[in-house]
Amino acid sequence: MQSQRLPTLEDVARVAGVSRATVSRVVNGVRNVDPQLHEVVWSAVEQTGYVPNRLARSLVTRRSGTVALVVSDSETHDDDPFMSRFFADPYFGRVVGGLMSVLRPAGVQLALQMVGAEGHRRLVGDLRNGQADGAVVLSLPARDPLPGLLAEARIPAVLIGRPAEPLPISYVDLANETGAALAAECLVARGCQRVSMISGPADVPASQDRITGFHRAMARHGHAWVPSAAGNFTRESGEQAMRALLAEEPDGVFVANDLMALGALLVLRDAGKRVPEDVAVIGFDDSSAALAARPALTTIRHPLEDMAAEAAKLLLARVEDPAGRVSSVIYEPTLVRRQSA
Amino acid sequence: MQSQRLPTLEDVARVAGVSRATVSRVVNGVRNVDPQLHEVVWSAVEQTGYVPNRLARSLVTRRSGTVALVVSDSETHDDDPFMSRFFADPYFGRVVGGLMSVLRPAGVQLALQMVGAEGHRRLVGDLRNGQADGAVVLSLPARDPLPGLLAEARIPAVLIGRPAEPLPISYVDLANETGAALAAECLVARGCQRVSMISGPADVPASQDRITGFHRAMARHGHAWVPSAAGNFTRESGEQAMRALLAEEPDGVFVANDLMALGALLVLRDAGKRVPEDVAVIGFDDSSAALAARPALTTIRHPLEDMAAEAAKLLLARVEDPAGRVSSVIYEPTLVRRQSA
DNA sequence: TTGTACGCGTTATCAC
DNA sequence: GTGATAACGCGTACAA
């Protein structure tokens, strides 16, 4: 049951018998300080239990020691059609984990900022006002204006996943086309003759790249036409798409993410198809779901944690030097051979 | 390429031809304002593109409009043994989603605060300094001093999961014993004679409750002894535990969470056991993993999103009225019958 | 109803 | 090296 008011620099100064300027210098480790006082001040800090007020500090330094994780969704949700899906998906957690692995050692905090189109102005304002030093952006909508706004406002920002259109903003991404091509090669090498694809939404960049990458690679091997069905990256939608594709009697199917692949596996199983003997299945992401599936999912590894960590590093560097070059880091996916193909 | 400096209240006041106090009142919706000026001021706000500086505002109001999601881990990690596990687990995402569902409509931001024992003092200080109005605490370690510290400092806080020892702090929890008992009843009703359990870590409250609840219920039906093996809530540990338990030749097994149950299912399958004919399996949590499993997992529903949402509500209420009663909300689990039992 | 003036807790720029 | 003092941007008694 301590005093309600927290000790301030002034209080510490009084106890130490110095001015608050000196205390500030000591606390912030400025060198022009008499070692004598140094001691005195620190013990006064201990004694009073002083903790610097970050708000007050940020107000003057214009540095908050915080970065924002912006989840941009831009759609208005009646109830909860998207949010619960998004957070329950391994994607979100993997990104947070990757970010934290570099942010935490750096002593930087993470603020979660879900925002729709209505909130763009406010968000940009808050960021310019110094509420956060920069932003890592998870842009979900197809043509999201937010990345452009951030670039225009010269706010240090890094996208996870390339922007829909070229923009002076840093980003990390996966070579999605390459990944899809890897899957195609594998299927072709297996001797699959009737290959189908379950894709993600047609309007998000990562999904587009997987589609074009797969089609292009298949065409290279003479398969001009690949029957496809689109899902929305959930397991349920994967089941639905697989059911629709059953009519094509495929002997191989590439699924744009593991969750949907899981759904596909279930449908195939229920349809009496053996995997991979009757139909080979390849997923995408190498999320934990892939290992848990039976048969274990052959999939394209997507090093999301590493990518998020890199995004954090890029962002911190940009905060340090805002004039630096906008850079992009593209990760190369690899094929993880397991049992489904 | 706008001016680098953002407009302040003063700038808006100049444009509107009033004092900055008036602008402040208008922006904050105080009623004593001439409708005339009201208009003038708002258009000046539009014109200048003014966005209130939350830092400055918080400094004086001592309200930040932010709550902290504190992940308390207290163990020092060499590299990353725990963090990636934790974030990849559906648990984290479900909690964030639940919190957001009430925080976002309320216009409250969420700040993620991972903190070990070294950071406790700093965290409490930051919170008392008004960096956040309150905290939702995910306390992982067995005997975590943090909840006690928060209570002592009279910081509005709500725990997800009961504290290890009684404490004047609000929390939401699941009736874990009841859930475990439900599983026991189901197994007994099936006629299982050789029942085993795969538990979580022995030192975390939720895990303990599931253990005691299960044993007690089994005892009530004459089963004094239940062979057990402990895991750490990961799928891998579930596999390990199941392998160890195979020697007991169980015809029924209760697993303390779905992820481990998934692992158990895999091991049983590889061991040539049919589920549920040879051995019935019941999981816990009803996470998305349960539906994806084959056979689909019979499990105990744990309404984590609802619980997190309730935690957010309790917290906001407490922020509003810090003198209010510390309250606990206990959710009743239910049995979700699917195919594994 | 509106404006003046002070304080929130820090850091930074000066003289000393 | 150290101590006043002016910002930082805002809310709000208090006075008008």
Side-chain angles (χ1 to χ4, degrees), chain B residues 19-20 22 25 33-34 37 62:
Chain B
S19 80
R20 82 161 173 268
T22 301
R25 285 190 269 258
V33 277
D34 184 331
L37 291 186
R62 305 194 159 283

Side-chain angles (χ1 to χ4, degrees), chain A residues 19-196:
Chain A
S19 80
R20 80 162 172 267
T22 301
V23 180
S24 173
R25 284 190 270 259
V26 171
V27 170
N28 292 0
V30 181
R31 50 192 181 294
N32 292 335
V33 277
D34 185 332
Q36 290 274 356
L37 292 186
H38 202 275
E39 291 274 324
V40 180
V41 169
W42 272 122
S43 74
V45 167
E46 281 303 324
Q47 183 182 333
T48 55
Y50 170 75
V51 172
N53 185 320
R54 311 184 71 145
L55 271 60
R57 178 180 283 176
S58 300
L59 190 55
V60 41
T61 60
R62 304 194 157 284
R63 272 296 191 81
S64 63
T66 298
V67 305
L69 172 56
V70 178
V71 180
S72 174
D73 61 346
S74 92
E75 308 184 24
T76 49
H77 317 291
D78 303 25
D79 202 358
D80 203 8
F82 145 87
M83 228 171 58
S84 60
R85 266 220 309 273
F86 177 70
F87 289 117
D89 197 287
Y91 185 82
F92 175 70
R94 291 180 71 188
V95 169
V96 171
L99 292 175
M100 276 304 189
S101 72
V102 2
L103 258 26
R104 194 184 182 190
V108 175
Q109 319 234 337
L110 185 66
L112 205 52
Q113 301 263 160
M114 294 212 55
V115 54
E118 349 73 60
H120 284 176
R121 173 187 163 171
R122 183 62 172 268
L123 174 68
V124 171
D126 282 348
L127 290 175
R128 290 190 61 187
N129 270 330
Q131 178 160 68
D133 300 329
V136 172
V137 182
L138 250 42
S139 179
L140 295 328
R143 290 184 60 82
D144 191 352
L146 186 57
L149 293 178
L150 293 173
E152 190 183 352
R154 303 189 175 292
I155 293 170
V158 178
L159 264 51
I160 294 191
R162 70 170 171 84
E165 57 200 58
L167 230 43
I169 195 169
S170 296
Y171 67 88
V172 302
D173 201 359
L174 184 75
N176 284 291
E177 323 81 345
T178 308
L182 249 34
E185 302 295 343
C186 176
L187 256 19
V188 167
R190 277 193 127 262
C192 293
Q193 292 298 328
R194 305 177 56 86
V195 173
S196 291

